[in-house]
Amino acid sequence: MVSIVSHNSKVTAAETNKPTFTVVDITPEMAKAFLEKNHPNQRTINKTHVRSLVADMRSGAWVTNGDSIRFDEEGYLIDGQKRLTAAVEAGITLKDTMIVHNLPAE
C-alpha cells in the first residue's frame, strides 16, 4: 500500500463508508502503485492516447484540469488509468491531483 502524504488538508467524511478526497502530488512511483490496484474489468488502455499524454507531459503542455483519480470502496482504481500510465512512462509527477477514495463499486 502506498502512503499518501498531502501538503493540503485531507477532507474526510464522518462515516468511513463515505467518499474521501485529498489533493496530492502523484510521483511516478505512486502512479505505478496505483495502477497495480486497477479494476479487473477496466477497459484496455488506448496506447495512442497515452502517447499523446506522455508527449504533453514531457513538453510541459500538460495541465491539471480537475479530473480526479478515483478508487472504489473495494480499493480498485476506477478512473485515471491513462493519466497514471502516462505519468509513469513520462517520469513526471502529477502536481496537485485530487484523489477520491471509497466511491461505490460499479
Side-chain angles (χ1 to χ4, degrees):
M1 178 76 183
V2 173
S3 176
I4 299 172
V5 177
S6 173
H7 57 82
N8 294 326
S9 297
K10 184 174 183 180
V11 178
T12 59
E15 299 174 19
T16 58
N17 64 343
K18 300 239 177 159
T20 61
F21 73 91
T22 188
V23 175
V24 300
D25 294 343
I26 301 175
T27 65
E29 295 78 18
M30 290 170 67
K32 186 175 180 180
F34 290 163
L35 287 164
E36 291 174 4
K37 298 287 190 175
N38 205 18
H39 194 281
N41 294 332
Q42 188 72 276
R43 61 185 177 214
T44 304
I45 291 180
N46 178 325
K47 292 179 182 180
T48 302
H49 183 68
V50 170
R51 281 193 297 270
S52 175
L53 292 175
V54 168
D56 285 348
M57 289 176 182
R58 287 183 175 157
S59 73
W62 172 261
V63 293
T64 300
N65 64 3
D67 287 346
S68 63
I69 304 298
R70 300 183 312 152
F71 292 88
D72 70 13
E73 60 199 357
E74 296 174 5
Y76 288 117
L77 175 67
I78 57 174
D79 189 29
Q81 179 185 16
K82 290 184 284 294
R83 286 171 280 150
L84 293 170
T85 300
V88 170
E89 290 184 17
I92 299 295
T93 295
L94 301 177
K95 300 285 189 178
D96 299 320
T97 303
M98 183 183 299
I99 301 175
V100 181
H101 289 274
N102 212 28
L103 292 167
E106 297 178 355

